[in-house]
Amino acid sequence: MKSMIVLSLVLNILVLVPVTYGMATNAAWADQAYGETSPARGILLALYLAILAASCVLLFRPVTAAVAALLAVQIVYKVMTPFTVGSLENPVVLSNLGIAAFHCVTLWLIIAGSGD
């Protein structure tokens, strides 16, 4: 379970560092994937930065309940993206679903191990 927690947090960091950098610097690929700079994209960037910061803190100071809460929120919003975007073809939607699947395994292991 602990190794999966680390892997989920590292996955968040490895994905979110380039994504937040690209969004913050208006990289062409970020504009293509997330749309032009707008208040909505700024709100999404803030959400991503919060998840990135929480993942960094929890990587060095793991609190299992906090990790479970973070992953649960991520799973819910990521699984909702095909419905809110209206497509399964968007690369952000596809990556969200893959990451959600990975985090589901970690969350399941946390829940299964909580009876110990």
Side-chain angles (χ1 to χ4, degrees):
M1 170 184 63
K2 290 181 195 258
S3 61
M4 282 301 290
I5 287 173
V6 169
L7 288 173
S8 277
L9 295 172
V10 168
L11 176 61
N12 280 348
I13 294 165
L14 289 176
V15 168
L16 289 173
V17 166
V19 167
T20 56
Y21 180 79
M23 290 175 77
T25 61
N26 296 314
W29 64 264
D31 288 348
Q32 194 171 38
Y34 295 97
E36 297 294 320
T37 301
S38 68
R41 185 169 130 174
I43 292 166
L44 182 61
L45 176 58
L47 173 67
Y48 284 171
L49 288 169
I51 293 168
L52 176 58
S55 297
C56 289
V57 169
L58 290 169
L59 185 62
F60 293 101
R61 181 94 165 110
V63 176
T64 304
V67 172
L70 176 66
L71 297 182
V73 168
Q74 283 187 262
I75 290 164
V76 169
Y77 100 75
K78 288 176 181 298
V79 168
M80 289 173 57
T81 58
F83 303 103
T84 59
V85 171
S87 171
L88 276 171
E89 297 176 13
N90 182 289
V92 176
V93 170
L94 293 174
S95 66
N96 276 353
L97 293 174
I99 293 167
F102 191 90
H103 288 342
C104 278
V105 173
T106 303
L107 185 58
W108 182 81
L109 290 170
I110 290 170
I111 293 167
S114 66
D116 294 342

